[in-house]
Amino acid sequence: MNDLDFLSTVPPWDALPPEDLAALTSAFETCNFQSGQRIYTFGDRLDGLYVIRSGRVQVVDEAGAPLSTLGPQNTFGERGLMRDGRAATTATATAETTLLLLPAGRFRALIDADEGLRGFFARARPQKGSRPPSLAETRVATLMSRSPATCPPETTVAEAARMMRDRRISSIMVVGEAGLMGIITIRDITSRVVADDVDLGQPVTAAMTPDPVSLPPDAIGSDVLHAMMERGIGHVPIVGTEGLLGIVTQTDLTRFQADSSALLVGDVASAPDVAALALVTERIPRLLAQLVGTGNRHEVVTRLVTDIADAVTRRLLALGEAQLGAPPVPYLWLACGSQGRQEQTGVSDQDNCLFLSDDVRPEHDGWFAELARFVSEGLDRCGYVFCPGDMMATNPRWRQPVRVWRQYFAGWVARPDPMAQMLASVMFDLRPIGGDYSLHAGLQAETLAAAARNSIFVAHMVSNSLKHAPPLGLLRGLATLRSGEHRNHIDLKMSGVVPVVDLGRVYALRGELTAVNTRARLDAARATGIISESGGRDLLDAYDLIAQTRLEHQARQVREGGMPNNYLRPGALSEFERSHLRDAFVVVRRMQSAATQGRGVV
């Protein structure tokens, strides 16, 4: 991938018009650093803005405290450049690293001339949640394993040992009528029973550690670590007023500290096969819960989670090419849906397609069909389940030369029937993931321009955006689902997030805005006057609340040992939270009504 193709995947450069990005790319300089080599030191005069092409960089503050570990596509140095031109941090390469450097003078000229870029970098200053979470910021409720294995005091040592073996665990809590009595671990059995040749038929109370050190659920991760270090233990029960709630082990702490989006991306990049990739993606729900639990905003969490999906897709493409050989003609793999918008959460299916060079011949389709099968099946094994609507590159309809894709878009715009509306809605969210990025260059702007000129098409898109209504009931209540598995719940995706996603797409169409991410679309629509300043602010606030509530719901499910979904029981919220969520839905409905009248003023 050349520098132009690379930068077209990196915010905020990915939002620039193709001709502007091409001109800017030539200004970037390539810099190479060895592992351990200092890039700059706190107080140094900065050479410019850095974008990581490959490798890894650690950023620390003036006192040497870690702020972030950055990987490919991350940008750094903007804080000092926006202030006085001197480094506000210290940056060191922790692996062989290639950086793209935009000289300081060019960077300043760029942000002086572009308010959008200036706002982006002003918001990008390090703040809480912009770095991997620390134990000192994390409550044990995020770390602990819930429903730990327990046994009554009369259980024999042999029975406890078999329980640990069968469940592949290292400890069991001994619980009596009065609550937690003790803990027995594999180390206890080794040192107190086997080493001393003690009868395995004796009660577990003879080998357990009685009255173990425990912590309350409002303790923080560093409390656990300090307790373990001070007392030489590897298991800390978490006990509240209602009794035993969970347990934190050394393995939990190690796993927590090992999981960051940058580390997961690094593990993805080095995975030798699909099975190894699936082991990495198993860690995503835990990462999501950690990111939410340490105060990250929804757009940060979903971007980081999507970055992992992008890396998985590119790794599968590389593994597929290694297995099938070189592609017969250039191709481009694109994602649509939530991955295309960089809004993936803990629940994601796959929506993708293939653009093929117009030089492709019929005999080449076998190669691309095999590549699509390999990648889609690999994504499914990694937790990105098959699209129920078959919007995947495995479907020949979505694996076509660029000229056919142009015909698709032209036909959907010219004949906006319901199916065309649905397909156009999906395809307006397309984002290149891997391959020859030039195959997509110009197509989005070309299609937006044609669609915006067709008033009938725009009207149909607005009508289509109203199919998903916010869950508002009578008498200031929330309307819940009336039947099915999720009866008495609200669907935070289809009734919450999707109505705003649809509005963002309409605004992008009306303003020919190239942003694909929903929040970026809303921001751009407000900045360009597509919607009013006040309406835009209200809608952004409403979207933030709905999307954040959805993520916090999923994170809570993960922490409780369940699988994340989009269905929230209103009773799980406080009256205060329900009131604010309803107010957010009212804003969305109001903006939907304004959209039908061709205005954004509310």
Side-chain angles (χ1 to χ4, degrees):
M1 185 190 302
N2 60 35
D3 289 347
L4 175 60
D5 291 342
F6 170 74
L7 287 171
S8 69
T9 70
V10 180
W13 321 119
D14 58 349
L16 292 178
E19 60 275 12
D20 291 350
L21 180 57
L24 180 65
T25 299
S26 62
F28 278 88
E29 303 169 4
T30 302
C31 308
N32 295 303
F33 293 85
Q34 298 300 312
S35 180
Q37 187 175 354
R38 183 68 52 82
I39 299 168
Y40 59 72
T41 302
F42 177 87
D44 285 353
R45 178 66 63 181
L46 285 166
D47 294 327
L49 182 78
Y50 293 93
V51 182
I52 302 177
R53 188 78 157 80
S54 63
R56 192 168 298 165
V57 173
Q58 184 182 54
V59 179
V60 301
D61 64 15
E62 181 180 4
L67 288 176
S68 56
T69 298
L70 306 176
Q73 296 187 318
N74 286 145
T75 300
F76 62 100
E78 69 280 346
R79 185 182 181 192
L81 290 170
M82 294 286 287
R83 192 176 59 178
D84 59 4
R86 295 191 178 276
T89 56
T90 295
T92 305
T94 57
E96 190 171 336
T97 298
T98 297
L99 304 175
L100 296 182
L101 171 68
L102 182 63
R106 186 63 184 269
F107 173 76
R108 290 195 183 92
L110 198 62
I111 62 172
D112 286 345
D114 191 313
E115 183 178 351
L117 290 175
R118 184 164 63 253
F120 176 89
F121 287 111
R123 291 193 301 269
R125 291 196 301 270
Q127 52 189 308
K128 183 182 179 184
S130 65
R131 55 185 167 81
S134 72
L135 288 173
E137 297 171 305
T138 307
R139 294 193 179 278
V140 294
T142 299
L143 297 168
M144 71 183 185
S145 300
R146 298 174 185 269
S147 303
T150 63
C151 69
E154 61 269 20
T155 304
T156 67
V157 172
E159 289 171 336
R162 283 193 291 271
M163 189 184 303
M164 283 189 269
R165 178 201 63 190
D166 294 343
R167 298 191 186 183
R168 297 182 179 180
I169 55 178
S170 58
S171 65
I172 297 177
M173 306 296 105
V174 182
V175 179
E177 293 183 1
L180 179 65
M181 297 175 58
I183 179 174
I184 185 166
T185 67
I186 290 177
R187 188 169 69 175
D188 292 332
I189 293 176
T190 301
S191 60
R192 298 177 181 173
V193 179
V194 177
D196 293 335
D197 198 23
V198 174
D199 180 13
L200 294 176
Q202 66 179 330
V204 73
T205 51
M208 74 179 187
T209 298
D211 301 319
V213 174
S214 65
L215 289 172
D218 60 352
I220 58 177
S222 55
D223 294 335
V224 178
L225 181 60
H226 294 164
M228 289 181 175
M229 297 298 291
E230 181 180 354
R231 295 172 173 83
I233 57 178
H235 303 75
V236 177
I238 307 303
V239 180
T241 55
E242 59 271 54
L244 179 65
L245 300 176
I247 187 170
V248 180
T249 68
Q250 286 180 331
T251 301
D252 293 324
L253 294 186
T254 301
R255 185 184 296 126
F256 176 86
Q257 293 173 312
D259 280 341
S260 75
S261 60
L263 290 176
L264 261 67
V265 167
D267 291 344
V268 164
S270 60
D273 50 36
V274 176
L277 280 174
L279 290 175
V280 178
T281 55
E282 283 179 1
R283 294 151 54 189
I284 292 177
R286 189 166 59 244
L287 172 66
L288 180 142
Q290 291 173 13
L291 290 170
V292 173
T294 50
N296 285 280
R297 288 173 57 88
H298 69 92
E299 68 267 27
V300 174
V301 178
T302 54
R303 173 59 188 267
L304 294 176
V305 170
T306 305
D307 284 349
I308 298 169
D310 292 353
V312 170
T313 305
R314 284 189 287 268
R315 185 59 183 153
L316 287 168
L317 289 169
L319 292 172
E321 287 192 25
Q323 178 176 301
L324 299 172
V329 296
Y331 71 88
L332 177 62
W333 185 281
L334 302 98
C336 40
S338 61
Q339 185 182 0
R341 297 189 305 274
Q342 296 177 300
E343 295 168 3
Q344 286 192 315
T345 65
V347 187
S348 295
D349 60 2
Q350 56 174 290
D351 299 279
N352 46 62
C353 62
L354 268 173
F355 280 22
L356 309 178
S357 164
D358 285 336
D359 294 331
V360 69
R361 297 196 298 271
E363 59 267 29
H364 296 154
D365 188 61
W367 191 96
F368 288 109
E370 279 300 304
L371 179 71
R373 182 194 60 77
F374 179 86
V375 176
S376 288
E377 289 182 357
L379 288 170
D380 182 67
R381 284 188 62 184
C382 291
Y384 307 100
V385 299
F386 294 125
C387 172
D390 202 22
M391 182 69 70
M392 297 182 294
T394 49
N395 183 337
R397 186 179 185 186
W398 311 129
R399 187 177 67 245
Q400 292 291 335
V402 173
R403 65 176 181 276
V404 174
W405 282 103
R406 279 195 158 86
Q407 292 168 6
Y408 284 167
F409 279 108
W412 296 333
V413 171
R415 296 178 297 279
D417 58 36
M419 178 57 70
Q421 289 297 305
M422 186 275 291
L423 295 173
S425 295
V426 172
M427 292 304 169
F428 276 135
D429 296 347
L430 276 180
R431 184 171 59 87
I433 302 298
D436 187 341
Y437 285 62
S438 68
L439 297 178
H440 183 253
L443 182 59
Q444 182 192 32
E446 173 186 318
T447 305
L448 279 172
R453 289 193 298 266
N454 188 323
S455 59
I456 297 176
F457 179 83
V458 174
H460 278 279
M461 284 290 287
V462 172
S463 176
N464 189 61
S465 73
L466 303 180
K467 290 182 179 179
H468 300 103
L472 292 170
L474 299 176
L475 303 177
R476 294 193 57 80
L478 292 172
T480 60
L481 298 171
R482 296 182 179 180
S483 61
E485 179 186 358
H486 301 291
R487 184 173 178 266
N488 296 327
H489 290 67
I490 56 177
D491 186 339
L492 286 173
K493 178 183 177 182
M494 299 308 296
S495 299
V497 171
V498 168
V500 187
V501 170
D502 289 341
L503 282 173
R505 198 178 292 117
V506 168
Y507 300 150
L509 174 60
R510 281 180 168 162
E512 298 182 37
L513 307 174
T514 57
V516 176
N517 174 266
T518 297
R519 202 177 193 286
R521 282 171 167 169
L522 301 182
D523 235 346
R526 183 182 62 168
T528 56
I530 303 301
I531 52 178
S532 70
E533 179 67 23
S534 61
R537 282 200 309 269
D538 285 349
L539 186 56
L540 276 167
D541 288 345
Y543 178 60
D544 286 342
L545 179 62
I546 296 166
Q548 197 73 35
T549 300
R550 179 192 184 198
L551 272 186
E552 288 173 356
H553 164 68
Q554 292 186 2
R556 185 164 52 248
Q557 290 179 308
V558 172
R559 287 194 294 269
E560 292 173 353
M563 293 296 293
N565 63 33
N566 294 302
Y567 299 98
L568 173 70
R569 185 175 58 83
L573 301 175
S574 68
E575 179 60 37
F576 180 83
E577 291 170 322
R578 286 197 299 274
S579 176
H580 280 278
L581 187 60
R582 188 186 186 282
D583 288 344
F585 291 140
V586 169
V587 169
V588 176
R589 175 178 284 179
R590 199 161 67 231
M591 294 302 288
Q592 285 182 323
S593 176
T596 64
Q597 301 170 41
R599 59 186 176 86
V601 181
V602 295

